[in-house]
Amino acid sequence: MTSLRDLSLALRSGELSPVEHVRDVLDRLAADDHAAVVTLDAERALATAEERAAELAGHEWRGPLHGVAVGVKDLFDVVGLPTRAGSAVLADAPAATTEGPVVARLREAGAVIVGKLATHEFAYGPTGDVSATGSARNPRDPTRITGGSSSGSAAAVAAGHLPLALGTDTGASVRTPAALCGVVGLKPEYGTLSADGVFPLAETLDTVGILAADVHSASVAWDVLSRPDGTGGGIQPPGIRGAHVGVLVDDYWQAADPVLAEAVRESVRLLEKAGAEVFEIRTPFIGELAAAYAEIVGAEAYATHRDWLATRRADYQPETVERLEMVADRPAHAYVAAQRTRKRLTAEFRAAVSDMDVLVSATTRLRATPIGERKVDGVPVRSALLALTSPFNLTRWPSVSVPAPVAAGELPAGVQITGVRLEERGILRVAGALERD
Amino acid sequence: MTSLRDLSLALRSGELSPVEHVRDVLDRLAADDHAAVVTLDAERALATAEERAAELAGHEWRGPLHGVAVGVKDLFDVVGLPTRAGSAVLADAPAATTEGPVVARLREAGAVIVGKLATHEFAYGPTGDVSATGSARNPRDPTRITGGSSSGSAAAVAAGHLPLALGTDTGASVRTPAALCGVVGLKPEYGTLSADGVFPLAETLDTVGILAADVHSASVAWDVLSRPDGTGGGIQPPGIRGAHVGVLVDDYWQAADPVLAEAVRESVRLLEKAGAEVFEIRTPFIGELAAAYAEIVGAEAYATHRDWLATRRADYQPETVERLEMVADRPAHAYVAAQRTRKRLTAEFRAAVSDMDVLVSATTRLRATPIGERKVDGVPVRSALLALTSPFNLTRWPSVSVPAPVAAGELPAGVQITGVRLEERGILRVAGALERD
């Protein structure tokens, strides 16, 4: 994969020009065979790269993203490109005429938006294999899913096409594809990055996030996006001595895949070795909390799609229709109760772990499964890819998936580090301690 | 009615002792014949009055509420008293062991909580005549409703029992009874006063508010409650020269009662005479916005009462059961859509009136109607008492009802002043310009 550290240095020093870099990325994306790419913005990207190159020639440097190619999930509006959200329902969507603050901030910071990356249809699924643009294929094994819904963003980064991509995470959609593809996926605390100009799945849970080749790249992107005044802040060195690490030990949090379970144990050992204090955390309320997720996401998603389901039903992928129609008649009181459960159990969860800096678990219960399969060794795939991540959309806490140590040749395993006392920079620092050089 | 200005002065100067004052209020409340009073906290109130008196004797003065008797709607938890919310469902409720920050702040400021005042059952109605404690009766005409749901708070203040009472306002419940009883009712901006320790009706709309004998009393209470650090701030003199006053002119906003319509016109003339610039405001979206109200309040209220309706149905008043069960099967997508409509049209409303300091309309479409009647001269009573106030629960803007000028002997008419550029102190200042000496 492309390391942003090396890339950024090469661009700043003039060793590599933004135009060469962007042209190379565009070529790679054009040749991609993982169904990761939806639309390229080649002409505009190259023109922007020329501008960034001219700035460098005049000794103007916008920061570590200056001239860096970035891709965005096809839920983000990008001026001049349609937003199709992985659906034939939006096949005729006009080119967007505005874009949201996150895309705008990337451009200001010097990033070159090269195009749109695939998404599970309307972001409503953690597998990534249901989309009008085809089933995204995992670069580590093209017969397997990427995970979703930010399928193309994870695949493009994992394939080494680019160091950074934007995704969204409503219940899993940044962290799960990051885990399955072996990249880093950061879901910030709900609300810290604006979701304006992003097609919604469920507005009370939707979170803009970052997929990146490594923790350093994710940290740079987070610094840029979280500091709109451009004050930067520099990357802090890893250092977790004395940190309180809570390991989620209830059955609910356990991986079904033994390689994944061992990877989590090994990650905890690494953190302990690095000086962290490890605690076992029990969450007896987790079943009740997790049940609120489907109620909330279902109601909000169905409310968005109800009119289209009446008029454009045939344009949806069959699984999407089935899942949306399954929740069509849910009562309002159940939705209201789910939101109350979310608030009440978030408070209970926080009280139970208030002395922890971070919580650790697997990101998913399974590693990448074969495309199209919905049950593997008796384990339901969708819930296996959603159950460990969605609780932290409900609590709104920041959470990052980082590749955990596995034997050579094994499919990637993601470990999830969730912030309680620590915010995004803090959990990235902990994640960094798990990264292999 | 009791003016807080005179009362506060008499208490501070020693002309009237807190004990005499509180005993007098307790006597009046015990003899009340408007079904305004639910529970008196006589022993504790007198003991507190003794403490406040001792402080005054030692030249310690907590501010303008020092030693002042205050009543609270029976939705607020008060230590030692049950919270029954006007319902036989809570006939056996235990005494509360904690109380919320608003009650606590009143106590810190020297107020003496004398007891609980009546509410429409579970605050779910703007008439005030449906309650396990009986139909509240309007002190201006005991055959007529007080309005609700803060029926007892409005009646007790209007009857001159006390200068101040706490209420809650989800769609009308402070402003409408204030209007019908001829007192001042302030609904602050949503979220500015904590609703902790208050029985909820609909959590995304519920607002703690103040009923007061006059604008000065309401302003003093607002200062105390909005400045938990006790920094005070002093009451600013009325002064509205140059203020932009938007008069809501669509049919939707018009009173059905001609006396009320003329009272609003006269109020606008008074404001113009005081130097305000008056503008006509049209709100073509108001029907769509208002329709979101029933969807939101219905779903949230039903979610609260669903289990009790299954087990304690006979303990509810029949009208409450009928209204709750009417919304039992509303779908979740309609609730989600209503919340989206609320947000979208609030933005549209704000854009349409962004140059206004305040908006003016009647508080209600009818003045106090006969107890138990649901249609008067062909006008449905509940919507007449809710339609003009609930839009500002949806937008969350601060809003106050102040008695408008009517001929002697006429039933009171409330004018509603809603803040756009102005916040609570600002709308109270405008309301003050309408007050008769």
Side-chain angles (χ1 to χ4, degrees):
Chain A
M1 287 185 284
T2 317
S3 154
L4 181 61
R5 202 189 298 264
D6 298 340
L7 175 63
S8 199
L9 209 62
L11 288 166
R12 192 180 190 183
S13 68
E15 192 191 312
L16 176 69
S17 92
V19 179
E20 284 172 87
H21 163 59
V22 167
R23 186 171 290 133
D24 174 54
V25 169
L26 287 168
D27 288 348
R28 292 186 65 122
L29 292 173
D32 170 75
D33 54 1
H34 306 100
V37 181
V38 176
T39 329
L40 293 180
D41 197 14
E43 205 170 314
R44 187 170 177 203
L46 286 167
T48 308
E50 301 268 12
E51 288 174 28
R52 297 296 86 79
E55 287 169 357
L56 285 171
H59 303 286
E60 188 188 333
W61 187 67
R62 295 178 182 230
L65 295 188
H66 192 119
V68 172
V70 174
V72 306
K73 185 182 190 178
D74 195 17
L75 294 184
F76 288 82
D77 286 343
V78 169
V79 169
L81 302 180
T83 302
R84 293 202 181 112
S87 184
V89 174
L90 296 176
D92 304 322
T97 54
T98 58
E99 49 196 35
V102 170
V103 171
R105 177 69 194 122
L106 284 179
R107 289 196 195 276
E108 281 164 25
V112 180
I113 308 295
V114 289
K116 296 293 199 76
L117 303 174
T119 173
H120 194 106
E121 186 174 35
F122 287 118
Y124 197 36
T127 51
D129 54 358
V130 173
S131 170
T133 57
S135 297
R137 287 187 286 152
N138 194 315
R140 306 307 180 95
D141 176 348
T143 69
R144 292 176 184 265
I145 62 171
T146 54
S149 65
S150 307
S151 50
S153 299
V157 172
H161 299 335
L162 28 66
L164 273 181
L166 288 180
T168 62
D169 189 318
T170 304
S173 289
V174 160
R175 290 161 291 163
T176 286
L180 270 48
C181 292
V183 303
V184 173
L186 172 67
K187 178 200 84 71
E189 186 178 339
Y190 175 87
T192 51
L193 297 184
S194 169
D196 287 355
V198 184
F199 196 97
L201 171 57
E203 65 264 32
T204 66
L205 301 167
D206 290 345
T207 313
V208 168
I210 298 162
L211 292 112
D214 53 25
V215 170
H216 173 82
S217 308
S219 300
V220 167
W222 172 249
D223 272 1
V224 164
L225 292 177
S226 64
R227 296 165 186 268
D229 57 355
T231 55
I235 305 305
Q236 292 169 32
I240 56 161
R241 184 156 303 280
H244 287 197
V245 170
V247 180
L248 296 160
V249 296
D250 301 293
D251 285 349
Y252 179 93
W253 297 100
Q254 302 318 306
D257 175 336
V259 173
L260 195 40
E262 176 51 27
V264 174
R265 283 191 294 272
E266 175 61 15
S267 299
V268 172
R269 282 193 291 268
L270 282 172
L271 293 174
E272 211 162 12
K273 218 168 133 187
E277 279 190 70
V278 174
F279 301 83
E280 293 197 348
I281 301 293
R282 294 192 186 274
T283 55
F285 44 76
I286 187 62
E288 191 186 358
L289 177 63
Y293 176 77
E295 204 68 69
I296 293 171
V297 76
E300 295 180 9
Y302 186 77
T304 300
H305 291 285
R306 186 162 178 263
D307 290 350
W308 281 337
L309 282 167
T311 57
R312 308 282 305 267
R313 196 170 183 281
D315 290 330
Y316 284 87
Q317 303 294 311
E319 189 178 276
T320 309
V321 171
E322 186 195 327
R323 295 183 60 213
L324 284 169
E325 291 187 346
M326 206 162 60
V327 298
D329 297 326
R330 292 297 303 160
H333 63 78
Y335 173 85
V336 170
Q339 288 285 12
R340 290 179 188 171
T341 298
R342 181 180 76 69
K343 281 176 199 139
R344 175 173 53 82
L345 293 183
T346 295
E348 194 171 324
F349 201 162
R350 186 171 284 282
V353 298
S354 61
D355 286 339
M356 296 299 115
D357 292 303
V358 296
L359 301 176
V360 174
S361 72
T363 305
T364 56
R365 289 179 181 154
L366 293 173
R367 291 177 297 157
T369 53
I371 286 173
E373 294 203 10
R374 291 294 176 261
K375 205 161 217 184
V376 169
D377 297 336
V379 179
V381 169
R382 264 205 311 268
S383 67
L385 302 185
L386 191 70
L388 309 191
T389 44
S390 59
F392 302 119
N393 295 83
L394 292 166
T395 65
R396 303 187 161 181
W397 301 343
S399 191
V400 61
S401 180
V402 60
V406 288
E410 283 283 2
L411 287 168
V415 168
Q416 177 176 242
I417 311 288
T418 300
V420 181
R421 291 197 298 209
L422 293 184
E423 38 63 273
E424 290 79 1
R425 294 168 63 79
I427 63 173
L428 285 165
R429 211 174 327 148
V430 175
L434 298 179
E435 218 168 27
R436 288 198 272 190
D437 295 327
Chain B
M1 285 185 286
T2 316
S3 154
L4 181 60
R5 202 189 299 263
D6 298 341
L7 174 63
S8 198
L9 209 62
L11 288 166
R12 192 180 192 183
S13 68
E15 192 191 312
L16 176 69
S17 92
V19 179
E20 284 173 87
H21 163 60
V22 166
R23 187 171 290 130
D24 174 56
V25 169
L26 288 168
D27 288 347
R28 291 187 65 121
L29 291 173
D32 170 75
D33 55 2
H34 306 100
V37 181
V38 176
T39 329
L40 293 181
D41 197 13
E43 206 170 313
R44 186 171 177 202
L46 285 167
T48 307
E50 302 268 12
E51 288 174 28
R52 296 296 86 77
E55 286 169 357
L56 286 171
H59 303 287
E60 186 187 335
W61 188 65
R62 296 178 182 229
L65 296 188
H66 193 119
V68 172
V70 173
V72 306
K73 186 183 188 178
D74 194 17
L75 294 184
F76 290 80
D77 285 343
V78 168
V79 169
L81 302 180
T83 303
R84 295 203 180 113
S87 183
V89 174
L90 296 176
D92 304 321
T97 55
T98 58
E99 49 197 35
V102 169
V103 170
R105 177 68 194 120
L106 284 179
R107 289 196 195 275
E108 281 164 25
V112 180
I113 309 294
V114 288
K116 297 291 199 77
L117 304 174
T119 173
H120 194 106
E121 186 173 36
F122 287 118
Y124 197 35
T127 51
D129 53 359
V130 174
S131 171
T133 57
S135 297
R137 287 186 286 154
N138 195 315
R140 306 307 180 95
D141 175 350
T143 68
R144 293 179 184 263
I145 62 172
T146 54
S149 63
S150 306
S151 50
S153 299
V157 172
H161 299 335
L162 27 66
L164 273 181
L166 288 181
T168 62
D169 189 318
T170 303
S173 289
V174 160
R175 290 161 290 163
T176 286
L180 269 50
C181 292
V183 302
V184 173
L186 172 68
K187 178 199 84 72
E189 187 177 338
Y190 175 87
T192 50
L193 298 184
S194 169
D196 287 355
V198 184
F199 196 97
L201 171 58
E203 65 264 33
T204 66
L205 301 166
D206 289 345
T207 313
V208 167
I210 298 161
L211 292 112
D214 52 26
V215 170
H216 173 82
S217 307
S219 301
V220 167
W222 171 249
D223 271 2
V224 164
L225 292 177
S226 64
R227 297 167 186 267
D229 57 355
T231 55
I235 304 306
Q236 291 169 32
I240 55 159
R241 183 156 303 281
H244 287 197
V245 171
V247 180
L248 295 159
V249 295
D250 301 293
D251 285 350
Y252 179 93
W253 297 100
Q254 302 318 308
D257 174 336
V259 172
L260 195 40
E262 175 51 26
V264 174
R265 284 191 293 271
E266 175 60 15
S267 298
V268 173
R269 283 192 291 269
L270 282 173
L271 293 175
E272 210 162 11
K273 217 168 135 187
E277 279 190 70
V278 174
F279 301 82
E280 293 197 346
I281 301 293
R282 295 191 185 275
T283 55
F285 43 77
I286 187 62
E288 191 186 357
L289 176 63
Y293 176 76
E295 204 69 70
I296 293 170
V297 77
E300 296 180 8
Y302 185 76
T304 299
H305 291 285
R306 187 163 176 261
D307 290 349
W308 281 337
L309 282 168
T311 56
R312 307 284 303 267
R313 196 170 182 281
D315 290 330
Y316 285 87
Q317 303 294 310
E319 189 178 276
T320 308
V321 171
E322 185 194 328
R323 294 184 61 213
L324 284 169
E325 291 187 346
M326 205 163 60
V327 298
D329 297 326
R330 291 297 303 161
H333 63 77
Y335 174 85
V336 170
Q339 288 286 10
R340 290 180 186 169
T341 298
R342 181 180 75 69
K343 282 178 198 140
R344 176 173 52 82
L345 294 183
T346 295
E348 194 171 324
F349 200 162
R350 186 171 284 282
V353 298
S354 60
D355 286 340
M356 295 300 115
D357 292 301
V358 296
L359 302 177
V360 174
S361 71
T363 304
T364 55
R365 288 178 180 155
L366 293 174
R367 290 178 297 158
T369 53
I371 286 173
E373 295 204 9
R374 291 296 176 260
K375 205 161 217 184
V376 169
D377 296 337
V379 179
V381 169
R382 264 206 311 268
S383 67
L385 302 185
L386 192 69
L388 310 191
T389 45
S390 60
F392 303 118
N393 294 82
L394 293 166
T395 66
R396 304 187 160 182
W397 302 342
S399 190
V400 61
S401 180
V402 61
V406 288
E410 283 282 1
L411 286 168
V415 168
Q416 177 176 241
I417 312 289
T418 300
V420 181
R421 292 197 299 210
L422 293 186
E423 37 63 272
E424 290 80 1
R425 294 168 63 79
I427 62 174
L428 285 166
R429 211 174 328 148
V430 174
L434 298 180
E435 217 168 28
R436 287 198 272 190
D437 296 327

